[in-house]
């Protein structure tokens, strides 16, 4: 049964940086091609990564790939800083700037296009929300919610436009283009959604709204069953 179409595809090449919208990409075993494939280890928390939770200013760094996707190596990865300066991944100056911003020692790490062990969100392969659910939470919050606050990989436009219907899909399969996924469970939100993706400013009222009205849930996680190509505008089919 057709339930809608893909409205947005968003990947975050650098963990906790602002991501990029793409018109098409590949879905691999770990999620969208290149999603969270680059990160910075935080020496103040051994084994952990530098994240928005600790450093909201990371929302002001915009990461994007430039060039053709390849399984052998990633395209050039550019990072635009809040001042407009553009770095390429691996430049020492970027690391030094982030160490000043975060006031901690960090080390860059990069994985391969075919294997990103940290996964898309360290929970499942893909994070999904819908336009209908975003509209509803905006109504409850009393102001427009930028979907980027929730850092989804996929935003769906639904045929029936019913808010939170995606929460009835647990255990069901979705076919999108060449890709098949299975919807697993709720996404329990954290303070990251309080960060304005445009400027890094904080507003704790959104998390309070989601906690009070949604039991702290917004969006759903999905795991990849079949890899392949995916594009904005692809039909979404639901199967039991």
């Amino acid at each position: 049964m057709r339930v809608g179409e893909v409205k947005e595809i968003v990947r975050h090449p650098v963990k906790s940086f602002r991501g990029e919208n793409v018109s098409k990409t590949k879905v691999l075993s770990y999620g969208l091609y290149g999603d969270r494939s680059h990160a910075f280890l935080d020496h103040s928390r051994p084994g952990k990564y530098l994240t928005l939770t600790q450093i909201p200013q990371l929302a002001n760094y915009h990461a994007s790939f430039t060039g053709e996707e390849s399984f052998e190596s990633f395209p050039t990865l550019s990072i635009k800083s809040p001042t407009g300066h553009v770095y390429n991944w691996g430049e020492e100056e970027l690391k030094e700037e982030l160490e000043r911003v975060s006031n901690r020692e960090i080390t860059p790490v990069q994985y391969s296009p075919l294997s990103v062990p940290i996964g898309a969100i360290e929970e499942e392969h893909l994070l999904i929300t819908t336009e209908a659910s975003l509209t509803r939470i905006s109504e409850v919050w009393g102001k427009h919610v930028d979907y980027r606050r929730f850092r989804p990989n996929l935003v769906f436009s639904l045929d029936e436009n019913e808010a939170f219907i995606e929460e009835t899909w647990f255990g069901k399969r979705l076919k999108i283009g060449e890709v098949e996924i299975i919807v697993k469970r709720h996404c329990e939100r954290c303070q990251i959604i309080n960060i304005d993706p445009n400027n890094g400013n904080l507003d704790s009222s959104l998390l309070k709204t989601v906690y009070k009205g949604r039991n702290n849930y917004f969006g759903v996680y999905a795991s990849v069953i079949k890899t392949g190509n995916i594009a904005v505008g692809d039909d979404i089919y639901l199967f039991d």
Side-chain angles (χ1 to χ4, degrees):
M1 177 179 69
R2 185 189 191 273
V3 294
E5 67 179 32
V6 177
K7 180 70 174 181
E8 304 283 356
I9 301 173
V10 190
R11 68 179 169 206
H12 302 84
V14 180
K15 185 174 178 62
S16 280
F17 283 18
R18 186 187 305 177
E20 61 173 343
N21 291 67
V22 296
S23 59
K24 61 182 180 179
T25 189
K26 299 175 179 68
V27 173
L28 304 179
S29 60
Y30 59 83
L32 298 183
Y33 174 93
D35 197 41
R36 276 81 168 186
S37 56
H38 299 65
F40 289 92
L41 287 170
D42 180 354
H43 291 204
S44 70
R45 302 182 307 131
K48 302 290 186 179
Y49 300 97
L50 193 68
T51 71
L52 281 167
T53 304
Q54 289 77 40
I55 314 295
Q57 301 96 312
L58 296 182
N60 296 322
Y61 289 82
H62 184 192
S64 58
F65 288 120
T66 303
E68 293 295 319
E69 295 179 357
S70 166
F71 291 144
E72 295 181 0
S73 62
F74 286 115
T76 298
L77 175 55
S78 299
I79 296 97
K80 186 176 181 180
S81 77
T83 63
H85 185 83
V86 178
Y87 298 98
N88 283 336
W89 179 263
E91 291 187 24
E92 183 66 20
E93 291 81 0
L94 172 63
K95 174 179 175 289
E96 292 173 352
E97 178 173 331
L98 291 171
E99 287 185 328
R100 291 194 297 271
V101 169
S102 64
N103 194 31
R104 59 192 72 194
E105 185 180 355
I106 59 176
T107 297
V109 292
Q110 175 183 339
Y111 299 99
S112 76
L114 291 174
S115 178
V116 180
I118 58 176
I121 318 95
E122 296 185 51
E123 293 281 351
E124 289 290 348
H125 306 142
L126 296 165
L127 178 57
I128 299 167
T129 190
T130 68
E131 287 187 313
S133 298
L134 289 161
T135 297
R136 180 65 58 81
I137 205 67
S138 294
E139 293 169 352
V140 175
W141 192 33
K143 43 188 160 180
H144 173 70
V145 176
D146 188 323
Y147 71 85
R148 293 178 300 165
R149 285 181 179 268
F150 298 102
R151 300 179 71 80
N153 297 118
L154 301 173
V155 180
F156 292 166
S157 177
L158 301 177
D159 293 340
E160 296 187 4
N161 206 36
E162 180 180 342
F164 309 117
I165 194 172
E166 62 272 21
E167 296 176 356
T168 69
W169 296 346
F170 297 152
K172 296 183 179 181
R173 293 181 300 116
L174 296 176
K175 186 176 187 302
I176 311 167
E178 299 175 347
V179 174
E180 291 186 24
I181 61 178
I182 183 168
V183 183
K184 303 289 284 192
R185 63 185 186 280
H186 294 285
C187 175
E188 187 171 358
R189 306 314 310 204
C190 67
Q191 65 184 19
I192 285 177
I193 69 173
N194 291 329
I195 302 171
D196 188 325
N198 291 307
N199 52 36
N201 292 339
L202 296 173
D203 184 344
S204 62
S205 65
L206 179 56
L207 182 58
K208 291 176 181 177
T209 297
V210 174
Y211 179 82
K212 181 179 179 180
R214 298 287 311 142
N215 197 31
N216 213 33
Y217 296 141
F218 192 88
V220 296
Y221 287 125
S223 293
V224 175
I225 299 173
K226 180 182 178 184
T227 62
N229 295 310
I230 192 172
V232 169
D234 277 349
D235 293 326
I236 303 162
Y237 295 94
L238 177 68
F239 300 90
D240 290 327

